[in-house]
mmCIF file of all heavy atoms in Angstrom:
data_model
loop_
_atom_site.group_PDB
_atom_site.id
_atom_site.type_symbol
_atom_site.label_atom_id
_atom_site.label_comp_id
_atom_site.label_asym_id
_atom_site.label_seq_id
_atom_site.Cartn_x
_atom_site.Cartn_y
_atom_site.Cartn_z
ATOM 1 N N ARG U 274 19.724 55.412 -39.874
ATOM 2 C CA ARG U 274 18.519 55.345 -39.238
ATOM 3 C C ARG U 274 17.505 54.937 -40.308
ATOM 4 O O ARG U 274 17.454 55.504 -41.420
ATOM 5 C CB ARG U 274 18.046 56.699 -38.624
ATOM 6 C CG ARG U 274 19.154 57.162 -37.580
ATOM 7 C CD ARG U 274 18.910 58.501 -37.005
ATOM 8 N NE ARG U 274 17.776 58.430 -36.130
ATOM 9 C CZ ARG U 274 16.722 59.344 -36.105
ATOM 10 N NH1 ARG U 274 16.666 60.283 -37.079
ATOM 11 N NH2 ARG U 274 15.776 59.282 -35.259
ATOM 12 N N GLN U 299 17.523 51.859 -35.661
ATOM 13 C CA GLN U 299 18.582 52.756 -35.577
ATOM 14 C C GLN U 299 19.908 51.965 -35.179
ATOM 15 O O GLN U 299 20.003 51.416 -34.125
ATOM 16 C CB GLN U 299 18.203 53.888 -34.585
ATOM 17 C CG GLN U 299 19.414 54.754 -34.159
ATOM 18 C CD GLN U 299 18.809 55.921 -33.362
ATOM 19 O OE1 GLN U 299 17.878 56.490 -33.640
ATOM 20 N NE2 GLN U 299 19.452 56.133 -32.271
ATOM 21 N N TYR U 304 27.667 57.986 -36.990
ATOM 22 C CA TYR U 304 27.326 58.365 -38.388
ATOM 23 C C TYR U 304 26.410 59.748 -37.929
ATOM 24 O O TYR U 304 26.302 59.969 -36.883
ATOM 25 C CB TYR U 304 26.468 57.386 -39.171
ATOM 26 C CG TYR U 304 25.297 56.815 -38.316
ATOM 27 C CD1 TYR U 304 24.063 57.348 -38.599
ATOM 28 C CD2 TYR U 304 25.395 55.688 -37.454
ATOM 29 C CE1 TYR U 304 22.980 56.885 -37.798
ATOM 30 C CE2 TYR U 304 24.311 55.222 -36.835
ATOM 31 C CZ TYR U 304 23.168 55.795 -36.954
ATOM 32 O OH TYR U 304 22.021 55.363 -36.254
ATOM 33 N N ASN U 305 25.865 60.186 -39.061
ATOM 34 C CA ASN U 305 25.102 61.473 -38.738
ATOM 35 C C ASN U 305 23.685 61.064 -38.326
ATOM 36 O O ASN U 305 22.740 60.761 -39.058
ATOM 37 C CB ASN U 305 25.014 62.384 -40.075
ATOM 38 C CG ASN U 305 24.125 63.565 -39.880
ATOM 39 O OD1 ASN U 305 23.728 63.821 -38.695
ATOM 40 N ND2 ASN U 305 24.051 64.303 -40.948
ATOM 41 N N HIS U 306 23.483 61.192 -37.034
ATOM 42 C CA HIS U 306 22.284 60.778 -36.368
ATOM 43 C C HIS U 306 21.076 61.763 -36.580
ATOM 44 O O HIS U 306 19.986 61.428 -36.224
ATOM 45 C CB HIS U 306 22.435 60.593 -34.906
ATOM 46 C CG HIS U 306 23.090 59.263 -34.508
ATOM 47 N ND1 HIS U 306 22.456 58.148 -33.955
ATOM 48 C CD2 HIS U 306 24.395 58.835 -34.728
ATOM 49 C CE1 HIS U 306 23.299 57.237 -33.818
ATOM 50 N NE2 HIS U 306 24.504 57.502 -34.336
ATOM 51 N N SER U 307 21.341 62.874 -37.144
ATOM 52 C CA SER U 307 20.263 63.905 -37.389
ATOM 53 C C SER U 307 19.745 63.794 -38.716
ATOM 54 O O SER U 307 18.729 64.473 -39.006
ATOM 55 C CB SER U 307 20.845 65.307 -37.181
ATOM 56 O OG SER U 307 21.948 65.606 -37.888
ATOM 57 N N GLU U 308 20.187 62.908 -39.575
ATOM 58 C CA GLU U 308 19.646 62.787 -40.922
ATOM 59 C C GLU U 308 18.290 62.021 -40.825
ATOM 60 O O GLU U 308 17.943 61.249 -39.942
ATOM 61 C CB GLU U 308 20.491 61.767 -41.760
ATOM 62 C CG GLU U 308 21.016 62.404 -43.043
ATOM 63 C CD GLU U 308 22.113 61.744 -43.754
ATOM 64 O OE1 GLU U 308 21.901 60.451 -44.102
ATOM 65 O OE2 GLU U 308 23.118 62.310 -43.774
ATOM 66 N N THR U 309 17.308 62.566 -41.736
ATOM 67 C CA THR U 309 15.981 61.990 -41.780
ATOM 68 C C THR U 309 16.167 60.465 -42.041
ATOM 69 O O THR U 309 16.885 60.087 -43.134
ATOM 70 C CB THR U 309 15.243 62.651 -42.840
ATOM 71 O OG1 THR U 309 15.270 63.988 -42.529
ATOM 72 C CG2 THR U 309 13.687 62.158 -42.779
ATOM 73 N N PRO U 310 15.441 59.565 -41.412
ATOM 74 C CA PRO U 310 15.549 58.237 -41.723
ATOM 75 C C PRO U 310 15.002 57.845 -43.093
ATOM 76 O O PRO U 310 14.155 58.560 -43.708
ATOM 77 C CB PRO U 310 14.696 57.506 -40.620
ATOM 78 C CG PRO U 310 14.522 58.434 -39.489
ATOM 79 C CD PRO U 310 14.591 59.781 -40.254
#
Side-chain angles (χ1 to χ4, degrees):
R274 303 175 75 226
Q299 162 172 317
Y304 58 90
N305 181 1
H306 283 250
S307 57
E308 235 167 65
T309 308

